[in-house]
């Protein structure tokens, strides 16, 4: 999906002036800490996966995405999911309080603090078993498909249409494009090396970029 979130390599956005990492606080305000905690806590209910969460943030109006801060976009995505999954209704969300007779989700499995801590520190792998043979090998030259679909994708816009060389095969991993729609399947994942000049023109000729890309994003490069 191309939208306000796909900013890599875009022109006209001005210089990047990040805070030095050693000086930047983890959160700039207390409400950011709360949004982060709410996102993790509700994610543990098992009603959506990480790709659905990302896609919920991406689906907002592009101008709103650009005007929002990082955690404002997280909050927008969370509100979207809470409404779509029926965990709250519009009235509850606007009043920031649960309904008096809301028993619809009394059976939800809410993790204990100990279980939540275990989830956070152990996580889970996206590696999946497969009998499918990868379509490309290390050293193959490939081109990233140009995609206009409205769904979620992890193929950055600046790489679409560009050609590079497969530098590593990473195994079969959960495919984010279908995972965002609730279909959990695996596809071969590759690291592809691109010359800077093939992404951004001659002025970037002294750089090289490595991007992890799933097989459906790739086609053999024209010789």
């Amino acid at each position: 999906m191309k939208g306000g979130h796909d900013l890599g390599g875009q022109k006209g956005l001005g210089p990047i002036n990040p805070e030095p990492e050693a000086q930047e606080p983890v959160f700039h305000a207390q409400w950011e800490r709360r949004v982060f905690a709410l996102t993790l806590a509700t994610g543990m209910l098992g009603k959506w996966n990480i790709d659905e969460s990302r896609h919920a943030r991406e689906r907002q109006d592009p101008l709103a995405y650009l005007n929002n801060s990082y955690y404002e976009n997280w909050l927008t995505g969370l509100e979207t999911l809470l409404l779509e999954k029926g965990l709250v209704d519009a009235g509850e969300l606007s009043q920031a309080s649960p309904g008096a007779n809301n028993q619809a989700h009394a059976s939800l499995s809410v993790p204990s603090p100990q279980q939540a801590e275990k989830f956070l520190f152990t996580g889970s792998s996206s590696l999946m078993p497969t009998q499918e043979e990868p379509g490309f090998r290390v050293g193959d030259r490939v081109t990233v498909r140009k995609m206009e679909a409205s769904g979620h994708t992890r193929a950055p816009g600046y790489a679409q249409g560009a050609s590079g060389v497969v530098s590593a095969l990473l195994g079969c991993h959960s495919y984010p494009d279908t995972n965002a729609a609730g279909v959990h399947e695996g596809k071969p994942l590759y690291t592809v090396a691109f010359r800077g000049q093939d992404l951004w023109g001659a002025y970037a000729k002294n750089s090289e970029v490595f991007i992890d890309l799933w097989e459906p994003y790739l086609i053999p490069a024209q010789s």
Side-chain angles (χ1 to χ4, degrees), residues 8 24-25 28 30 32 54 62 79 87 97 108 119 131 138 160-162 171 185 187 189 209:
E24 183 181 10
H28 292 80
Q30 185 64 23
E32 293 185 342
R54 287 171 174 149
E79 291 174 345
L87 295 177
S97 63
L108 281 174
F119 292 158
Q131 301 298 320
V138 172
Q160 293 182 25
E185 62 179 347
K187 296 293 181 182
L189 179 65
V209 178

Side-chain angles (χ1 to χ4, degrees), residues 70-135:
Y70 183 77
Y71 281 110
E72 284 175 332
N73 283 324
W74 274 46
L75 180 58
T76 298
L78 178 58
E79 291 174 345
T80 296
L81 289 169
L82 290 172
L83 289 169
E84 290 179 348
K85 302 298 182 178
L87 295 177
V88 299
D89 60 35
E92 291 173 314
L93 190 61
S94 65
Q95 297 172 24
S97 63
N101 298 310
N102 186 4
Q103 300 296 323
H105 302 287
S107 62
L108 281 174
S109 177
V110 179
S112 67
Q114 293 77 22
Q115 290 172 322
E117 184 177 14
K118 182 179 180 180
F119 292 158
L120 291 174
F121 282 96
T122 59
S124 61
S125 173
S126 67
L127 192 65
M128 299 178 66
T130 181
Q131 301 298 320
E132 181 181 351
E133 289 293 324

